[in-house]
Amino acid sequence: MAALVLFGGGGDLAMRMLLPSLYFLDHEGRLPEGLKIIGAARSEETADEYIEKVRAACESKARADDVWDEATWSRMKARLDYLAVDATSAESLKPLKDKVGDGDVTSFLAVSPSLYARIVTAMRAAGLAEANDRVVLEKPVGRDLDSFREIDDAVSDAFSESQVFRIDHYLGKETVQNLIALRFGNTVFEPLWNAQNIDHVEITIGETVGVGDRWPYYDEYGALRDMLQNHMLQLLCLVAMEPPSDLEPESVRNEKVKVLRSLRPITHEEAERVTVRGQYVGGVVDGETVKGYDEERGQPSDTETFVAIRADIDNWRWAGVPFFMRTGKRLPEKRTEIVIAFKPLPHSIFDGREGEPQANRMIIELQPEEDISLTVMNKKAGLDAQMQLQPIKMSLSWGFRDKHETPPRRRIAYERLLLDALNGDSTLFVRRDEAEQAWKWVDEVSQAWSDGNVKPQDYVAGTWGPDSADMLMARTGRDWNTIDVRD
């Protein structure tokens, strides 16, 4: 009988995301029959007390989506158990091994990555790292290439690479997966997906929240390591990779690694030209006055809460096409999107009276909504003697079409990833060499900042970062997409 062990099973990630995801999977009948779900944490509480907490967490999420029912909960409850453990101690883990029995075990480490090495070492000694067992690691693994390798070496001593699932929850989003279908399932787009037809690519991850009480963690990582190293580079890889030979995990991950290896290194001589570091000061977000990062922290800091970078991919497909990435805290909108900006017409037959043709643009929105839209030029309806052009947006979304149809439930990204981990499908997970290449490039950026003494520039909370972020694109004759894609 298989078992899923949630280390840190009483923590925020488990209660807010993982356990509700498992409830939804159980509701749809997707969990393996007989699967045990065991919470493991330091807290001294009974299994019944733990199960009541799980019920509250799952019921809150499920009622919001109108999918709570007692039958599903009864099945889920029968799977659940809890054990208080010190996960870094093999002796403490032995009762957990007895509880899971001889079946295959998938262990999800929803704990601080600083504990990974000690935990996997203890797991191996306790018999929780057998040949058919798996381990799921939450990001960030390490804070640079050296610390990543140190942690991952310990993981590799306990598990083979095929047993390790390094998770990035962005890859579980429906629209991210749809990007693969859009590119490689249509003859319309893939022939245009190259430097001959695409002018530039933008990737934005904007957050309205500040760092707040998380500043001890954030002060160590900053926006570069917290967001760009994993989420943003993963999105870049999916946009830029070559067509894999098939959808087998290794085929897809091989192509992503090739993209990362093709990223042009950023040196300190050009750091100020192609990168921007920012840190928010007090301002207004969503009509509320908020503090600056230094005020939240209680003392000055050189940690960036905003980063914008121009990345160049030195290969045949993308030579000369800039990839612009930006992410930050305390921005005007919570927005995650990829913009594919196609090149303008080589020659316009319209003289201006009809309206100026605009370049085609595809916007892949991941949050707050999940949607894909394509902007094309169209004749404005009417009997005017003069043709009038107008841009229209065509939805390419996976979502519903009929306004009378009930919209599909927006899945938690972890639903897909948990199911894949339980089934041993590593396609949407990060391979070791892939993580190493991402850290290598990010370390080069960090070193360039240090060598060039590049300090964070202030930006007012509620704005799109420092003015230099606009200049990053303006000096190439381009602008960021700051128009709400739902307008």
Side-chain angles (χ1 to χ4, degrees):
M1 186 177 296
L4 173 63
V5 178
L6 301 179
F7 288 100
D12 178 69
L13 177 63
M15 291 294 175
R16 190 167 49 88
M17 293 291 181
L18 303 182
L19 288 158
S21 293
L22 291 166
Y23 170 88
F24 289 128
L25 291 173
D26 208 350
H27 181 73
E28 297 178 2
R30 296 181 183 275
L31 291 183
E33 185 176 351
L35 176 73
K36 298 179 182 177
I37 302 172
I38 303 172
R42 288 181 178 272
S43 176
E44 292 289 346
E45 58 185 321
T46 67
D48 288 342
E49 290 170 335
Y50 177 74
I51 290 170
E52 280 305 304
K53 289 182 180 178
V54 175
R55 177 186 174 117
C58 293
E59 187 172 0
S60 174
K61 286 273 192 182
R63 286 198 184 279
D65 287 325
D66 198 28
V67 291
W68 175 260
D69 67 68
E70 293 295 334
T72 300
W73 171 246
S74 294
R75 290 197 307 273
M76 178 87 168
K77 181 179 180 180
R79 300 178 186 276
L80 288 168
D81 204 347
Y82 178 79
L83 191 65
V85 299
D86 174 1
T88 64
S89 164
E91 193 65 31
S92 181
L93 290 181
K94 286 180 179 177
L96 179 60
K97 172 59 178 175
D98 295 338
K99 194 174 281 287
V100 301
D102 296 327
D104 299 343
V105 180
T106 300
S107 297
F108 194 117
L109 304 193
V111 298
S112 169
S114 63
L115 299 174
Y116 286 174
R118 295 165 61 193
I119 290 175
V120 295
T121 301
M123 289 171 63
R124 181 184 184 186
L128 291 167
E130 301 300 317
N132 292 324
D133 295 338
R134 305 181 184 108
V135 64
V136 183
L137 307 178
E138 261 288 337
K139 72 92 185 174
V141 181
R143 70 174 305 276
D144 53 25
L145 181 58
D146 289 341
S147 58
F148 167 80
R149 284 175 170 164
E150 183 178 349
I151 294 170
D152 219 61
D153 284 347
V155 175
S156 299
D157 283 342
F159 296 91
S160 68
E161 179 62 29
S162 63
Q163 296 173 277
V164 181
F165 291 72
R166 300 172 192 85
I167 203 166
D168 187 327
H169 71 269
Y170 267 60
L171 298 186
K173 291 181 178 291
E174 194 78 33
T175 315
V176 172
Q177 297 167 58
N178 205 19
L179 175 58
I180 297 176
L182 187 75
R183 281 196 60 189
F184 304 128
N186 296 283
T187 58
V188 176
F189 298 114
E190 181 55 26
L192 304 178
W193 214 265
N194 52 49
Q196 284 69 49
N197 300 288
I198 293 178
D199 178 77
H200 69 278
V201 176
E202 302 172 34
I203 302 174
T204 294
I205 302 180
E207 299 179 277
T208 57
V209 298
V211 175
D213 294 337
R214 292 181 65 237
W215 72 259
Y217 158 82
Y218 206 83
D219 220 43
E220 183 179 0
Y221 285 83
L224 179 69
R225 294 182 173 91
D226 182 52
M227 296 297 290
L228 191 136
Q229 185 273 336
N230 42 79
H231 300 328
M232 304 198 83
L233 287 183
Q234 284 296 313
L235 297 179
L236 180 144
C237 285
L238 291 175
V239 170
M241 71 181 188
E242 294 295 321
S245 57
D246 51 46
L247 285 180
E248 290 299 309
E250 294 312 300
S251 300
V252 174
R253 300 200 291 183
N254 286 343
E255 298 305 331
K256 289 163 66 182
V257 171
K258 290 177 185 177
V259 173
L260 293 170
R261 287 177 176 163
S262 299
L263 284 172
R264 183 182 303 168
I266 292 176
T267 64
H268 72 272
E269 289 88 357
E270 59 181 5
E272 288 192 307
R273 182 179 66 84
V274 298
T275 74
V276 176
R277 296 182 79 193
Q279 185 183 106
Y280 62 83
V281 297
V284 177
V285 179
D286 292 334
E288 178 185 351
T289 301
V290 298
K291 295 180 179 179
Y293 180 70
D294 282 355
E295 295 175 274
E296 292 175 334
R297 188 177 181 276
Q299 55 184 310
S301 167
D302 283 342
T303 300
E304 77 281 352
T305 62
F306 175 95
V307 60
I309 288 183
R310 170 181 170 158
D312 288 273
I313 301 173
D314 290 331
N315 62 22
W316 278 26
R317 180 181 289 262
W318 297 112
V321 178
F323 284 68
F324 296 97
M325 297 180 282
R326 63 174 173 174
T327 182
K329 304 284 188 183
R330 292 296 189 205
L331 299 185
E333 298 175 36
K334 180 178 181 180
R335 180 198 297 185
T336 300
E337 69 180 17
I338 303 168
V339 178
I340 311 296
F342 291 90
K343 288 186 174 179
L345 295 171
H347 171 71
S348 175
I349 64 172
F350 306 99
D351 62 11
R353 291 176 299 170
E354 300 89 351
E356 289 295 331
Q358 299 178 17
N360 302 129
R361 179 168 288 214
M362 180 183 291
I363 299 179
I364 303 158
E365 188 182 8
L366 280 70
Q367 64 178 10
E369 302 298 331
E370 294 191 69
D371 194 18
I372 299 177
S373 63
L374 178 65
T375 301
V376 299
M377 295 306 296
N378 182 54
K379 177 191 176 295
K380 188 175 182 179
L383 298 177
D384 298 331
Q386 194 77 33
M387 178 184 291
Q388 297 295 310
L389 294 176
Q390 65 177 3
I392 61 169
K393 288 185 179 178
M394 302 187 301
S395 177
L396 304 170
S397 171
W398 57 272
F400 64 105
R401 291 287 184 269
D402 188 339
K403 65 181 179 180
H404 301 296
E405 183 183 344
T406 301
R409 178 179 64 84
R410 285 192 64 190
R411 292 187 181 276
I412 302 172
Y414 284 97
E415 293 177 47
R416 160 60 62 188
L417 299 173
L418 282 167
L419 191 61
D420 284 356
L422 289 169
N423 291 330
D425 184 346
S426 58
T427 306
L428 297 176
F429 295 82
V430 180
R431 201 168 63 192
R432 174 166 178 152
D433 57 344
E434 188 179 342
E436 286 182 330
Q437 286 296 323
W439 274 123
K440 180 177 181 292
W441 191 74
V442 164
D443 281 356
E444 290 168 347
V445 175
S446 181
Q447 189 61 50
W449 284 348
S450 178
D451 293 345
N453 197 30
V454 179
K455 301 295 184 184
Q457 303 168 37
D458 290 348
Y459 67 96
V460 177
T463 65
W464 282 104
D467 291 342
S468 53
D470 291 331
M471 286 301 302
L472 178 70
M473 292 194 74
R475 67 170 59 100
T476 70
R478 302 175 175 94
D479 297 299
W480 293 103
N481 179 57
T482 55
I483 301 173
D484 194 321
V485 294
R486 296 175 300 282
D487 287 347

